[in-house]
């Protein structure tokens, strides 16, 4: 074979030109991954973007096991406060909660921290993804709705973070270069952000459950969920006027919300009391159709199996005789014959009843009307319009539902405040860490907890804040550990 | 034939005519002639030529009367050579006139030379001298250099091996050399005008051909550090994976089998650990016949993952489980197909691979087609393998005594709860579990190859089959069937060269796991019951069903893999010294794996169902590499320029399916019979493109300068960061070529060379798409179910678009010495590699979204070391020869710097200035005579020995203050090859100086057998001054701490006779009778014996009870026809 020399130069030239045509950048570009889609694809249409928001809800409801939003806040703070104790021999990390002997390396507080920040990251992704998207298939109304939902989710996660850990880094972007080295943001500033997010959510989110579609389950946060959280935030900030105002807005919406007459129905799917519930998956979820919290708390079998997280005598004693909540929301077990213990029984589906793929009768309750009444009562007791009288009236609504006599209208201010605290203790026990956060924000934690025999010797008030996970401090040296750890 | 009375009067000399013809031959003559005959008349020869070429002869019959008959044997000779040979010594000459060959009488005296007819080539040529350089088989050597010694002027041969130079003065010396061939020096005779010369393939270590990146070199001329291991050396070892045959052969390269399974991944590390990232593998870039074998590690959830310690899972990326830990990709390569393996270590050798060369490069060259008589080689082998050493464990009597004493020490009565094996099982029964579980495995193999062809078209075909059992002889085997082929074409004008190579292999691995035979109680009941089922009942009866160790015998992991590797290389000689080439390559691996958790393996009382995991892995690599080479002389120096490009695409796809709920073991092979199944999959892709260049300037083989550069791009990086530049500069000074040095050096000192290089290579690890923000639906199992019937999407990983190439800066200096006419060669190397701006997964606070992000870490890791390589021909005579080789590599590794180290994720496990592979330990003090427990130094004198994992070791209250580097201090090998007449004895020793963990560091006294020496000299009563602790069933901290103390580490250095091969070739006359060309018999042994003070079975695999490397004894017969 021979190539004519005259052909060589044109050949080489055409190869070179051909190579230049195929630009170098194209030569090293690869098709997009097959098992994932990019941010721009996610926010290219209403459906895809809704999937991203569904990712946040499923993270909240199921996660990959217990997390801050599906049980651990209840369980861990329940032990840190005076509600629960751990029954049996567990690993030292879990045993450290009830006696308030947490080490800074505790793995469970680490889970609380990580799971909350995962939700925040996902929420930031949605907020930024929508803002950056120019897709016309992503309609304006969906953009607004999803942004508001994401901001609500972000506010929700930050609320727990700052109440459990104190000052926390306020990450509002997914840009890792901006968040990689952050100092802890003062709690007041975190609250400011929470209020800002909630106000936007409140103004955008619909006043009903239309977003969830038929049968309009209360599983997507709406305007009233944002309002309820806002009321709680104002209460925590001691802004009683606003707290009462926001609470009234929810309470006055009687067409949507009324107390369930029977406490046993409170936590069911169709509860009229529910403002926002998280719907657990029924397949590919370790607890099947049960809530993760119910699955963790309830003994199997219910009255003879071992219950790990048991109610403390002090909580059991706090119930007044005849309180229907005591009978409806508490169960007992003989732990296989080794002694009777009591455990929270607000959710009824546990390991014994959970079924794979079956529809569930209960969802995980996040906000409910009873708490809103209590917020308003506390606000009124502290000077919001209506004063003590209105507070007593609100408390009596709950007491009457619990089958208890109403409080006298002649209580002193201090007595009203104590009554609110008591009512919160028994109404909201083993629910979202209310007790722990109430003790902390009202300054009673030291007095009440350090006096308990099971917490002797008292490790110190530093235990009232959970430790920042050490891996976080190692990777971000601007973080400072909470004092004492 | 045409006859004419007219003689064309030609004034040209025949030689000049030849020269002219050669110059234009590309256009005019592209013919070759094959002709053999004894005393044939010229006319007959001419007739044959006319038939073969289509040329016609033109001559006067009369002049043929003066011609003698000729005897010639020519195969594919170019026409002009053929004619020169035929007319050699005849009074005749020839010339070409278009398609006519004119034969004329030689003029008695050469006439003055007129201008050549083709004036375009040489306008006003002085008298020219013509030559042709070929190898011993007559193949033209293109690019050989020809130097006129007195003038220092040189030229190169063209594509046909021809050269022309102005006719040198008489008695001039010509030096003809070519890489890989022995240089020849020729003194021209008076009036000599032409030269045909054949060069012999160099056999000495300095001049033998060495495969380098995109070319060839020799140790004499190499600027970079390259070590080549020949195929012959590899084939002497009875191993199925050619990588294992490199163990100890290349200084500075550690080859570590990850387990004794034959197909298991092999971890390869060249010159120390570069990266801090425990997930990044240390494997170099493998290139087979120019085709890179890149595997993108998928690290899928529910699949095997790759890591620094375990190496890459290789061909098993999908699938849940594999006892072998994956499959080494090179297990699919038949060692019999390998021509050579080159290991490129320094920047000069690897920089041309740019971002892929950071961990070194291994070039594997398969056997290529060899022209000649068709030859059939057949080789059959049979081998047995077993465990080379056994542990000395307690017998039943000692075991029972140990258990009783332990309970007594604990103040416990012997009960069915605390000693079930003593209560429920026969305490007189004894089984040597090691012998039961590790048996004698058999292996069979056969290889056949056929090669032949002529100079223009040649071929080779190889077929191989190997079947090897693992020493878990109850079940399991490794099989490979392989096919390799090579086709070469050389156009008659020798300008076009085409080379096609392909290898195909199918491997099938069926592995089972056997329990660690060492810890089993010696009185445990048999593996199978009387009906041949697993002996669950005896274990159930003892309440030990949860400890039943033999279930895995019936839960095999199986993988079948198809691998194909093909490359096509086309080269065209555009002009003298100028070559255009293109290489296209492709490889593909398709692997299916399965793991069956059978019903038969499970406890019959549970009425269990079977489950299975299936995996597939598909790997594709393709590459296209155009290249232009130009070699020419500038002054006395030869300049070799190479400009080329690489475009490579890689995809790896993995899929895993878990299926559960089979009701019958027979249905287990397909998920359709299962009650349910879940799947997950992943695909990783990569594209790589580069433009590279290399300039090599060789000044009279005295000074060599080499520069190489590479601009490359990889899809692993985000937009704007895909491209990077890498380069190296190196030089060599062959001092022994200096005249003054020749005077200084004693006569026995024949060679002295210094070469050094510096350069930057890179690494683009980190995985695909890390710069891209990705969302996916979380894995189905335990993942996130739909919310409100909307399928969720969540971000999958942290996004960092700013990460860049990792930079590996390498300095290398070699000193090569040759003594006694290069019979002894010594190379000493010093190197320093620094890996900075490391591309790793950087731990981040979770409020960034994830616990880590791919990025550049500021860590700077340094590896420095020394290497030495000696080759000596101790005896070299006709009947006996003995060569010795020795190599050693010493590497020191340290974390050089790390800004803000106290905030780094490595703060608790590493220290600046210390090796990355350091472990930090307690100091073991021996047995406390009071309580018989092990005791340790309380380093900080706070009264307790504390293990605090939250602070750096040896600080504050932590007492791990002893540091031990677990990488070998040095390693190497010794090779000896003795040939006496027809016998050949090859020995290869390898050695390592290293620290290793004691085989058994756990408690003594629990339900676990222990090495016998723990029984001797153990503590029995207070005051005993002994070596071994008390027996106890209840652990204390001190028992747990022993494994974290220097007491658990011991010298695990060894010297191992890893290969012993003896072969004998049957005398030819006997072979002839059997119609064979050759027949040889050989016995090859692997892992023959080990000299070590280490107490375990195998100092290379120190974990207790895992499968050790077997000893293999192989008999082999090789025939050729």
């Amino acid at each position: 074979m021979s190539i004519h020399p005259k052909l060589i130069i044109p050949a080489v030239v055409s190869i070179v030109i051909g190579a230049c045509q195929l630009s170098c950048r194209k030569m090293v570009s690869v098709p997009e991954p097959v098992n994932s889609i990019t941010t721009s694809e996610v926010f290219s249409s209403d459906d895809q973007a809704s999937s991203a928001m569904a990712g946040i809800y499923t993270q909240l409801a199921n996660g990959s096991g217990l997390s801050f939003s599906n049980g651990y806040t209840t369980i861990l703070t329940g032990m840190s406060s005076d509600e629960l104790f751990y029954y049996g021999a567990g690993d030292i990390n879990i045993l450290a909660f009830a006696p308030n002997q947490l080490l800074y390396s505790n793995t469970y507080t680490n889970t609380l921290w990580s799971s909350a920040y995962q939700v925040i990251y996902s929420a930031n992704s949605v907020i930024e993804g929508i803002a950056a998207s120019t897709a016309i298939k992503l309609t304006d109304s969906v953009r607004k709705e999803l942004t508001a939902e994401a901001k609500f989710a972000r506010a929700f996660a930050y609320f727990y973070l700052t109440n459990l850990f104190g000052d926390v880094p306020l990450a509002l972007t997914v840009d890792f270069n901006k968040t990689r080295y952050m100092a802890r943001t003062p709690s007041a500033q975190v609250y400011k952000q929470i209020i800002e997010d909630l106000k936007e959510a409140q103004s955008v989110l619909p006043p009903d459950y239309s977003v969830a579609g038929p049968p309009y389950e209360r599983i997507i946060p709406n305007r009233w969920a944002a309002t309820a959280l806002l009321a709680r935030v104002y209460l925590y900030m001691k802004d009683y006027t606003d707290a009462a105002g926001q609470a009234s807005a929810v309470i006055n919406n009687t067409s949507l919300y009324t107390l369930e007459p029977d406490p046993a129905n409170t936590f069911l799917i169709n509860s009229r009391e529910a403002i926002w519930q998280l719907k657990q998956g029924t397949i590919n979820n370790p607890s099947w159709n049960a809530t993760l919290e119910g699955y963790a708390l309830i003994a199997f079998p219910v009255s003879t199996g071992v219950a790990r997280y048991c109610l403390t005598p002090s909580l059991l004693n706090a119930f007044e005789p005849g309180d229907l909540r005591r009978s409806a929301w508490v169960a007992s077990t003989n732990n296989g014959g080794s002694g009777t213990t009591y455990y929270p029984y607000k959710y009824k589906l546990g390991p014994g009843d959970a079924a794979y793929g079956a529809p569930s009768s209960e969802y995980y309750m996040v906000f409910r009307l009873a708490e809103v009444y209590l917020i308003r009562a506390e606000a009124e007791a502290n000077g919001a319009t209506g004063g003590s009288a209105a507070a007593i009236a609100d408390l009596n609504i709950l007491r009457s539902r619990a089958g208890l006599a109403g409080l006298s209208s002649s209580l002193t201010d201090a007595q009203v405040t104590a009554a609110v605290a008591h009512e919160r203790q028994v109404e909201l026990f083993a629910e979202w860490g209310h007790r722990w956060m109430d003790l902390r924000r009202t300054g009673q934690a030291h007095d009440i907890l350090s006096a308990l025999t099971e917490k002797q010797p008292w490790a110190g008030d530093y235990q009232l804040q959970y430790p920042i996970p050490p891996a976080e401090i190692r990777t971000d040296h601007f973080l400072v550990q909470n004092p004492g750890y | 034939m045409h006859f004419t009375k007219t003689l064309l009067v030609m004034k040209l000399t025949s030689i000049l005519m030849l020269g002219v013809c050669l110059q234009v031959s590309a256009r005019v003559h592209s013919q070759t002639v094959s002709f053999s005959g004894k005393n044939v008349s010229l006319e007959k020869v001419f007739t044959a030529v006319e038939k073969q070429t289509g040329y016609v002869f033109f001559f006067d019959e009369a002049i043929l009367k003066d011609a003698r008959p000729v005897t010639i044997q020519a195969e594919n000779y170019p026409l002009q050579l053929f004619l020169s040979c035929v007319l050699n010594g005849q009074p005749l000459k020839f010339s070409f006139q278009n398609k006519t060959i004119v034969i004329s009488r030689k003029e008695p005296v050469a006439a003055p030379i007129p201008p050549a007819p083709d004036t375009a080539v040489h306008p006003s040529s002085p008298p020219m001298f013509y030559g042709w350089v070929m190898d011993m088989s007559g193949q033209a050597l293109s690019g050989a250099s020809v130097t006129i010694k007195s003038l220092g002027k040189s030229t190169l041969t063209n594509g046909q091996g021809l050269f022309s130079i102005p006719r040198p003065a008489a008695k001039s010396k010509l030096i003809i050399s070519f890489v890989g061939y022995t240089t020849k020096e020729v003194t021209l005779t008076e009036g000599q005008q032409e030269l045909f010369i054949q060069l012999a393939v160099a056999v000495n270590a300095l001049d033998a051909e060495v495969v380098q990146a995109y070319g060839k070199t020799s140790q004499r001329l190499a600027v970079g550090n390259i070590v080549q291991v020949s195929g012959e050396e590899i084939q002497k070892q009875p191993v199925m994976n050619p990588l294992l045959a490199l163990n100890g052969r290349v200084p500075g390269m550690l080859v570590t089998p990850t387990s004794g399974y034959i197909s298991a991944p092999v971890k390869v590390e060249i010159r120390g650990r570069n990266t801090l990232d425990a997930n990044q593998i240390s494997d170099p870039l493998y290139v087979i016949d120019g085709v890179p074998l890149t595997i993108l590690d998928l690290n899928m959830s529910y699949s095997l993952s790759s890591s620094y310690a375990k190496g890459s899972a290789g061909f098993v990326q999908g699938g849940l489980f594999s006892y072998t830990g994956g499959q080494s990709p090179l297990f699919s390569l038949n060692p019999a197909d390998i021509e050579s393996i080159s290991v490129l270590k320094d920047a000069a050798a690897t920089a041309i691979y740019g971002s892929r060369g950071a961990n070194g490069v291994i070039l594997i060259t398969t056997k290529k087609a060899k022209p000649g008589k068709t030859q059939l080689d057949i080789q059959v082998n049979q081998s047995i393998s077993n465990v080379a050493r056994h542990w000395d464990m307690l017998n039943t009597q000692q075991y029972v005594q140990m258990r009783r004493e332990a309970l007594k020490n604990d103040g416990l009565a012997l009960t069915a709860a605390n000693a079930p094996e003593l209560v429920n099982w026969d305490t007189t029964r004894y089984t040597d579990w090691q012998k039961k579980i590790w048996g004698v495995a058999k292996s069979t193999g056969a290889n056949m190859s056929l090669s032949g062809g002529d100079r223009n078209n040649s071929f080779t075909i190889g077929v191989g089959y190997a079947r090897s059992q693992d020493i878990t002889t109850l079940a399991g085997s490794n099989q490979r069937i392989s096919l390799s082929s090579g086709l070469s074409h050389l156009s008659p004008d020798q300008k076009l060269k085409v080379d096609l190579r392909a290898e195909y292999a199918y491997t099938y691995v069926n592995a089972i796991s056997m329990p660690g035979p060492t810890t089993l109680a010696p009185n445990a009941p048999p593996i199978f019951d009387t009906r041949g089922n697993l002996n669950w009942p005896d274990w159930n009866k003892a309440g030990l069903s949860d400890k039943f160790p033999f279930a895995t015998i019936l839960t095999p992991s199986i993988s079948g893999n198809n691998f194909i590797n093909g490359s096509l290389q086309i080269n065209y000689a555009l002009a003298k010294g100028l070559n255009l080439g293109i290489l296209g390559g492709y490889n593909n691996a398709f692997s299916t794996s399965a793991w069956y958790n059978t019903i038969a393996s499970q406890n019959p009382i549970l009425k269990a169902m079977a489950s299975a995991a299936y995996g597939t892995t598909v790997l594709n690599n393709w590459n296209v590499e155009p290249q232009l080479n130009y070699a020419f002389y500038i002054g006395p120096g030869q300049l070799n320029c190479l400009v080329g490009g690489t475009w490579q695409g890689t995809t790896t796809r993995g899929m895993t399916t878990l299926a559960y709920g089979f009701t019958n073991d027979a249905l287990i092979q397909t998920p359709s019979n299962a009650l349910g199944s879940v799947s997950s999959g992943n695909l990783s892709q990569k594209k790589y493109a580069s433009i590279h260049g290399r300039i090599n300037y060789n000044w009279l083989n005295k000074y060599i300068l080499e520069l190489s550069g590479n601009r490359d791009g990889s899809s692993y990086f985000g937009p704007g960061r895909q491209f990077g530049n890498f380069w190296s500069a190196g030089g060599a000074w062959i001092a022994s070529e200096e005249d003054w040095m020749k005077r200084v050096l004693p006569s026995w000192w024949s060679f002295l060379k210094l070469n050094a290089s510096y350069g930057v290579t890179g690494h683009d690890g980190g995985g695909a798409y890390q710069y891209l923000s990705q969302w996916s639906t979380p894995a189905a199992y335990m993942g996130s179910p739909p919310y409100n019937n909307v399928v969720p999407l969540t971000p999958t990983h942290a996004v960092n678009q700013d990460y860049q190439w990792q930079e590996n800066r390498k300095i290398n200096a070699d000193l090569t010495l040759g003594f006694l006419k290069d019979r002894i060669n010594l190379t000493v190397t010093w190197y320093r590699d620094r890996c900075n701006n490391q591309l790793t997964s950087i731990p981040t606070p979770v409020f960034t979204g994830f616990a880590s992000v791919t990025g550049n870490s500021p860590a700077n890791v340094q590896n420095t070391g020394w290497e030495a390589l000696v080759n000596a021909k101790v005896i070299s005579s006709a009947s006996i020869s003995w060569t010795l080789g020795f190599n050693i590599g010493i590497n020191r590794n340290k974390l050089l710097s790390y800004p803000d180290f106290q905030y780094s994720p490595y703060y608790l496990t590493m220290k600046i200035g210390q090796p990355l592979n350091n472990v930090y330990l307690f100091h073991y003090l021996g047995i406390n005579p009071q309580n018989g427990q092990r005791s340790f130094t309380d380093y900080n004198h706070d009264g307790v020995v504390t293990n605090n994992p939250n602070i750096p070791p040896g600080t504050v209250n932590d007492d791990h203050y002893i540091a031990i580097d677990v990488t070998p201090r040095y390693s190497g090998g010794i090779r000896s090859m003795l040939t006496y007449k027809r016998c050949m004895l090859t020995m290869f020793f390898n050695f390592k100086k290293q620290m290793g963990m004691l085989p058994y560091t756990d408690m003594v006294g629990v339900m676990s057998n222990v090495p016998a020496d723990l029984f001797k000299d153990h503590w029995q009563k207070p005051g005993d001054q002994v070596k071994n602790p008390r027996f106890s069933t209840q652990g204390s901290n001190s028992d747990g701490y022993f494994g974290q103390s220097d007491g658990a580490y011991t010298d695990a250095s060894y010297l191992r006779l890893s290969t012993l091969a003896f072969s004998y070739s049957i005398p030819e006359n006997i072979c002839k009778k059997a119609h064979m060309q050759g027949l040889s018999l050989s016995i090859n042994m692997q892992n023959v014996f080990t000299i070590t003070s280490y107490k375990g079975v195998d100092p290379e695999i120190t974990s207790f009870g895992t499968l050790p490397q077997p000893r293999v004894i192989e008999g082999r017969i090789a025939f050729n026809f």
Side-chain angles (χ1 to χ4, degrees), chain B residues 554-556 595-602 609-613 665 668:
Chain B
L554 297 182
T555 59
W595 175 65
Y596 301 131
N597 185 19
T598 54
I599 295 171
S601 72
Q602 300 180 53
M609 290 197 281
S611 56
D665 283 348
I668 205 166

Side-chain angles (χ1 to χ4, degrees), chain B residues 247-264:
Chain B
N247 193 357
R249 310 231 165 205
V250 180
M253 179 165 90
L254 290 177
V255 177
T256 321
T258 55
S259 80
Y261 287 104
I262 292 166
S263 65

Side-chain angles (χ1 to χ4, degrees), chain B residues 2-8 58-62 65:
Chain B
H2 307 271
F3 297 93
T4 170
K5 301 286 174 201
T6 319
L7 268 178
L8 278 171
F58 180 74
F59 53 88
D60 183 348
E61 268 186 323
K65 285 176 190 153

Side-chain angles (χ1 to χ4, degrees), chain A residues 28-344:
Chain A
V28 294
S29 73
V30 287
E32 293 194 329
V34 290
N35 58 346
S36 63
I37 58 176
T38 60
T39 300
S40 59
E41 288 171 315
V42 171
F43 299 101
S44 64
S45 73
D46 290 355
D47 284 353
Q48 296 276 28
S50 302
S51 283
M53 202 58 222
I56 297 180
Y57 294 131
T58 198
Q59 248 173 314
L60 285 165
N62 308 293
S64 47
L66 283 165
S67 73
F68 93 100
S69 56
N70 58 21
Y72 266 159
T73 299
T74 300
I75 291 168
L76 302 177
T77 65
M79 292 190 291
S80 290
S81 63
D82 54 359
E83 296 184 307
L84 300 172
F85 65 93
Y86 189 81
Y87 177 85
D91 75 295
I92 54 161
N93 284 303
I94 196 87
L95 288 171
F97 279 92
N100 301 96
Q101 298 285 352
L102 296 185
L103 291 176
Y104 70 93
S105 54
N106 192 282
T107 53
Y108 293 89
T109 50
N110 189 1
T111 304
L112 291 175
W113 173 279
S114 313
S115 56
Y117 270 117
Q118 266 164 22
V119 168
I120 289 164
Y121 180 82
S122 296
N124 286 335
S125 303
V126 171
I127 295 164
E128 291 187 346
I130 289 174
S133 169
T134 54
I136 42 168
K137 281 192 188 164
L138 185 59
T139 57
D140 239 28
S141 59
V142 171
R143 281 170 190 264
K144 278 187 171 168
E145 163 72 25
L146 294 181
T147 304
E149 285 183 32
K151 287 194 170 173
F152 172 82
R154 181 166 77 181
F156 177 73
Y158 270 122
F159 174 82
Y160 284 96
L161 273 175
T162 192
N163 274 289
L164 297 173
F165 295 93
D167 298 345
V168 290
L170 184 65
L172 299 173
T173 171
V174 294
D175 183 350
F176 116 97
N177 287 310
K178 290 187 183 139
T179 54
R180 184 172 172 192
Y181 296 113
M182 287 187 88
R184 297 171 64 174
T185 311
S187 187
Q189 210 178 317
V190 176
Y191 267 120
K192 212 176 132 219
Q193 183 65 42
I194 291 172
I195 290 172
E196 195 183 299
D197 283 347
L198 287 176
K199 281 194 165 157
E200 186 184 330
Q202 197 181 33
S203 70
V204 172
L205 293 177
D208 52 28
Y209 294 97
S210 55
V211 174
Y216 305 111
E217 292 176 331
R218 301 179 174 197
I219 55 177
I220 305 286
N222 63 358
R223 177 177 303 167
W224 309 113
T227 310
L229 181 53
L230 201 52
R232 191 198 288 173
V233 168
Y234 283 134
L235 179 74
Y236 277 37
M237 294 174 72
K238 301 191 173 18
D239 177 351
Y240 297 114
T241 313
D242 280 329
Q246 298 294 342
S248 294
V250 179
I251 293 166
N252 294 341
N253 189 351
T254 49
S255 59
L256 268 181
Y257 308 114
T258 53
L259 289 179
E260 285 290 338
D262 180 354
N265 295 336
T266 300
F267 294 91
L268 298 183
I269 286 180
N270 299 317
S271 171
R272 300 281 298 164
E273 195 175 335
I275 300 171
W276 181 34
Q277 293 174 314
L278 282 168
K279 179 183 180 179
Q280 69 279 11
T282 57
I283 49 167
N284 294 328
N285 172 16
S287 60
W288 294 346
N289 68 343
T291 61
L292 268 79
E293 185 178 303
Y295 199 88
L297 290 176
I298 297 168
F300 170 51
V302 175
S303 56
T304 55
V306 173
R308 288 289 168 214
Y309 307 100
C310 299
L311 294 168
T312 57
S314 60
L315 175 61
L316 291 168
N317 292 337
F319 285 99
E320 295 162 53
D323 194 328
L324 292 177
R325 295 170 293 202
R326 169 74 169 73
S327 49
W329 295 345
V330 174
S332 68
T333 172
N334 67 7
N335 283 308
S338 45
T340 302
T341 54
Y342 299 85
Y343 58 88

